[in-house]
Amino acid sequence: MLAGTIGNLLDRFLVGSVTDMIQLDFINFPIFNVADSCVTIGVIVLFLVILLAKPESEKHAE
């Protein structure tokens, strides 16, 4: 998530806007960039880690 955030921030500060790079003409899909992908994948991984993590009370019971 940090890599995507830094990438988008650098684009915003250096260029004035975030540059989208990937456009799929064969399907109707939003244009996105690598930084957006990093943020999205990071959020999904973080969500899964939180969802699958054992609560502290279960860790001490072992």
Side-chain angles (χ1 to χ4, degrees):
M1 288 179 1
L2 189 58
T5 303
I6 290 171
N8 280 338
L9 282 175
L10 284 175
D11 264 356
R12 179 70 59 195
F13 288 127
L14 298 177
V15 181
S17 64
V18 176
T19 305
D20 292 324
M21 296 185 264
I22 301 171
Q23 181 176 359
L24 304 173
D25 291 328
F26 57 91
I27 60 173
N28 186 15
F29 194 79
I31 300 171
F32 63 96
N33 61 24
V34 175
D36 294 340
S37 300
C38 290
V39 172
T40 302
I41 292 168
V43 168
I44 291 169
V45 169
L46 183 61
F47 176 75
L48 290 173
V49 167
I50 291 171
L51 185 67
L52 299 174
K54 287 185 178 180
E56 285 294 320
S57 59
E58 287 182 25
K59 288 181 183 178
H60 294 297
E62 293 178 357

